[in-house]
Every structure is written in C-alpha cells, then in structure tokens.
Amino acid sequence: MPPFALHPQLLADCHRLGQLSHSHLLLHRNAEVPWFILVPETELTNLLDLPIAQRDGVLVDCKRVSDYLRGTRNYPRVNVAWIGNLVPQLHVHVIGRRQDDPCWPKPVWGHLAPGPDYSPAEVEAIRTALLKS
C-alpha cells in the first residue's frame, strides 16, 4: 500500500495545520469564514464506512474543532459535511457560521467569493489553539 498522502487540491486550497488524534487538520485559505477540513488516513471515501473506532475518532476531532469555533471564536453555528464531489479523498468540512458571514444563510460551497488569506501569524495562532493538549 502506498504511503498516505493528502489530495493535491486540498493542499492547494488549505494551510496544513498538523494532526489531531484521528485526522490531518487543514484550514481553508479563504479567511472570510473559518473553514476547517479534517482528513482521516484511509482509502475509504465515505465517513460511515470507516471502522467504528476510526469513525468515532474522526467525530471526536470534529467536536474539538466545533468547540473551538463555538467557544474560542464565538460562532453560534457550525456546519459539518463530507461531500467529496470534487475531491474524492475522504475529508470532513467543519465551518463556523453566523448571520453576518458573507454567505449566510446559504452554504459556503458555490457562494463564497474569493477572499483574503490568513496571515502567517493568524495561521500560527489557530494552529496553536487547536493542537495544544
């Protein structure tokens, strides 16, 4: 089996923050909304097909990001989805939402205009907040 690698489109669209307990953690470059992508190490393409322990671990990672968005960043809503229409590698989107975001109430997919990237300091602050033990 070849070594695990992140899909090139995910790497192009995101900052690589590091690894949570069951997922690689990415931050979408568009800073208009806090959009995280979690990628478990698997060849499977559907979250529900993962072995129970791995699936539950990925959901624990999603909860960690959701808690950060709702608690630290004060986003009242968190959207979670795994779609995979454009990138076939299993990945889970965890996105902070509020009524003043540029896409509200529509989904971010197909409605988020190109926006500013995060500064290196912002990326590092987010990385530190989410990866600290």
Side-chain angles (χ1 to χ4, degrees), residues 30-102:
N30 190 330
E32 289 291 333
V33 295
W35 182 344
F36 294 89
I37 297 174
L38 288 77
V39 185
E41 290 191 17
T42 183
E43 295 297 318
L44 298 172
T45 58
N46 187 326
L47 183 68
L48 299 177
D49 292 338
L50 291 177
I52 292 171
Q54 186 179 19
R55 182 200 64 214
D56 290 351
V58 171
L59 292 175
V60 166
D61 289 349
C62 290
K63 173 79 164 100
R64 183 175 186 158
V65 174
S66 176
D67 288 348
Y68 165 77
L69 288 167
R70 293 178 71 216
T72 304
R73 300 285 302 271
N74 202 29
Y75 279 82
R77 303 278 307 163
V78 176
N79 294 170
V80 178
W82 69 97
I83 299 170
N85 294 344
L86 296 176
V87 174
Q89 182 174 48
L90 176 59
H91 59 286
V92 182
H93 301 267
V94 182
I95 306 166
R97 302 297 309 272
R98 58 179 165 221
Q99 290 184 352
D100 65 349
D101 80 41

Side-chain angles (χ1 to χ4, degrees), residues 7-16 26-30 35 37 86-87 117:
H7 191 279
Q9 189 63 54
L10 293 175
L11 292 173
D13 291 346
C14 300
H15 296 282
R16 191 173 190 170
L26 309 174
L27 173 65
H28 196 283
R29 291 184 185 282
N30 190 330
W35 182 344
I37 297 174
L86 296 176
V87 174
D117 196 345

